[in-house]
Amino acid sequence: MTGLGATTPLGGDVASTWEALVAGRSGVHLLKHEWAQELPCRIAAELAVEPSEVLPRVRLRRLDRSEQIALVAAQQAWDDAGLSDDLDKERLGVAFGSGIGGALTLLAQDDILEEFGARKVSPFTVPMLMPNGPAAVVGIEFKARAGVHAPTSACATSAEAISLASDMIRLGRADVVIAGGAEAVIGGLPMAGFSSMKAMSTRNDDPEHASRPWDRDRDGFVMGEGSGALILERRDHAEARGARIYAVVAGSGLTSDGYDIVQPDPECRGGGRAMRAAIKQAGIDPKDIGHVNAHATSTPVGDMAEVKGIKREVGDHVVLTATKSMTGHLLGGAGAVESIAAILAIVEGVIPPTINLENPDPALDLDVAANEARKVELNAALNTAFGFGGHNAALLFTKA
Amino acid sequence: MALSRDEIREGLSDILEEVAGVNPDDVADGKSFTDDLDVDSLAMVEVVVAAEEKFGVKIPDDEVANLKTVGDAVSYIEKG
């Protein structure tokens, strides 16, 4: 891991996002948009820095918002890694996902079709709405020719992408892979759909306290938008060019529940097997894992099921945190941004807090960095991500 | 009242800048959309739709292939 990039509700880059995470700042606020006013959930975590402040105007109009932020994050990661154009592009890959894709483009163009007819529909509609759009845009920007992959597994998407990227390097398919995910679907229909499932918080009168993983009074997730990108690089390739190595992707695990389209397995069996697989691949003792950046979305069932899985597979010594308490749920961007948080926890020796954990759920029997950042020396940290459809991903990072 | 060639070119130039980021200083009758102004086929679709709206003309798809240069487009719109 030699480069990190992000644009999130907390900041337009990794440094500002990390600073806000450690400080325990919430990125959630009340939506002022007219379309939001009749929704059951009128709160969300919108980007701190609009892509229009970073990308040129004509570029913006040909890209869905998810593609715009994928590009922003990937460019940061690329620059952070100190990579240049002389890299062998046939050895450069991309694994970059989106959970939902260009839904807002689809809806906007459908409005144009209804109102003005087919001829007015943008010729960029299809490349903007396709869920492989963010991966494709990143791949073209950096001329990646070893394969551009766009895993899509709802909220496990970008964790799966990092796992896939790691496999690409292990299998010898690439020397460098740009991995991550992007999601930008804060809009009427996606929010109404999640609300109809009763998955979203309705704490509209208190936005900053709405995302409260593991708290007794949690009532659903808060939608966020954002993108995270990570440069994975074969160790000898990174060493040969003297690159800074943040951490190592020591192991990853991907499993599926085979259980329910939206409900998590109450015992976290599939999630647990993913953790076990990551630990096994890394070949480390679970006792060496000091921290888990948990999926914990602030939903009543999912949060506690995951705790069972972590306790069983990793042990009761770990310190958990749920950074979704601050960023909201970035859906397809979550695994990447939370992996960045887990990696920086190792690098900086600081676990960002889980804010709003005022009255812990009685079933929470693991240590959480509640409400304040925790200083702790870490050799290894785990990131988990689970998605609708029963997709489970676990990523194990170790000190460089 | 019919627009002059200069007025049409200026209107086209605004459209090209808006949808494809073409510098207005580069827009001249002899310039090819694809070779000189970097307007690819998808961007050209947007230019055509915007031009139809702005100038109140119809530009059928099989006609678009003949509009290779800015001058071609100005002449077509001029004929109305």
Side-chain angles (χ1 to χ4, degrees), chain A residues 57 61 119-120 123-124, chain B residues 17-18 46 52-53 59:
Chain A
R57 186 184 55 83
R61 58 178 276 139
R119 210 169 152 76
K120 294 279 188 184
F124 297 97
Chain B
E17 187 186 19
E18 169 66 23
E46 285 196 297
E52 285 183 339
E53 191 166 315
I59 311 176

Side-chain angles (χ1 to χ4, degrees), chain A residues 333-344:
Chain A
V337 169
E338 288 157 25
S339 286
I340 291 171
I343 289 161
L344 291 178

Side-chain angles (χ1 to χ4, degrees), chain A residues 98-364:
Chain A
S98 169
I100 298 183
L104 299 185
T105 290
L106 176 74
L107 292 163
Q109 292 299 321
D110 188 54
D111 287 348
I112 289 172
L113 174 65
E114 294 285 323
E115 197 171 341
F116 303 107
R119 210 169 152 76
K120 294 279 188 184
V121 169
S122 166
F124 297 97
T125 301
V126 173
M128 285 170 75
L129 71 82
M130 60 193 196
N132 58 316
V137 164
V138 169
I140 292 162
E141 180 72 17
F142 297 99
K143 304 180 184 69
R145 298 195 174 117
V148 170
H149 306 287
T152 174
S153 48
C155 309
T157 291
S158 51
E160 183 171 347
I162 295 167
S163 176
L164 194 63
S166 162
D167 288 347
M168 285 178 83
I169 289 175
R170 284 177 211 277
L171 292 171
R173 289 185 53 209
D175 295 329
V176 178
V177 182
I178 307 169
E183 199 81 73
V185 289
I186 296 178
L189 187 77
M191 289 185 66
F194 280 117
S195 286
S196 290
M197 299 169 78
K198 311 293 176 206
M200 295 185 92
S201 171
T202 53
R203 198 182 282 262
N204 296 311
D205 55 352
D206 190 12
E208 295 192 350
H209 297 104
S211 185
R212 42 197 313 123
W214 301 309
D215 188 85
R216 204 178 54 198
D217 300 318
R218 66 191 183 278
D219 71 332
F221 78 86
V222 175
M223 191 186 284
E225 57 178 354
S227 177
L230 305 91
I231 305 291
L232 274 69
E233 188 168 353
R234 221 181 58 231
R235 181 185 278 278
D236 58 350
H237 192 274
E239 284 171 351
R241 64 182 191 90
R244 168 191 47 192
I245 301 174
Y246 280 98
V248 178
V249 189
S252 64
L254 299 175
T255 66
S256 46
D257 283 350
Y259 176 74
D260 188 272
I261 191 73
V262 292
Q263 293 295 330
D265 178 322
E267 299 302 318
C268 194
R269 281 170 291 209
R273 282 187 295 112
M275 297 178 212
R276 206 182 311 156
I279 295 166
K280 188 178 172 200
Q281 185 179 38
I284 68 170
D285 187 332
K287 287 194 181 65
D288 291 333
I289 302 170
H291 165 51
V292 180
N293 188 308
H295 184 63
T297 63
S298 186
T299 55
V301 180
D303 288 14
M304 299 324 298
E306 182 181 10
V307 168
K308 284 188 199 171
I310 293 169
K311 192 175 172 185
R312 192 173 63 235
E313 303 297 338
V314 186
D316 56 11
H317 62 283
V318 285
V319 182
L320 308 187
T321 201
T323 40
K324 286 187 183 77
S325 59
M326 296 169 278
T327 61
H329 192 347
L330 305 182
L331 309 176
V337 169
E338 288 157 25
S339 286
I340 291 171
I343 289 161
L344 291 178
I346 297 173
V347 173
E348 304 290 337
V350 178
I351 296 172
T354 301
I355 65 168
N356 304 326
L357 187 51
E358 288 157 2
N359 298 298
D361 189 302
L364 177 66

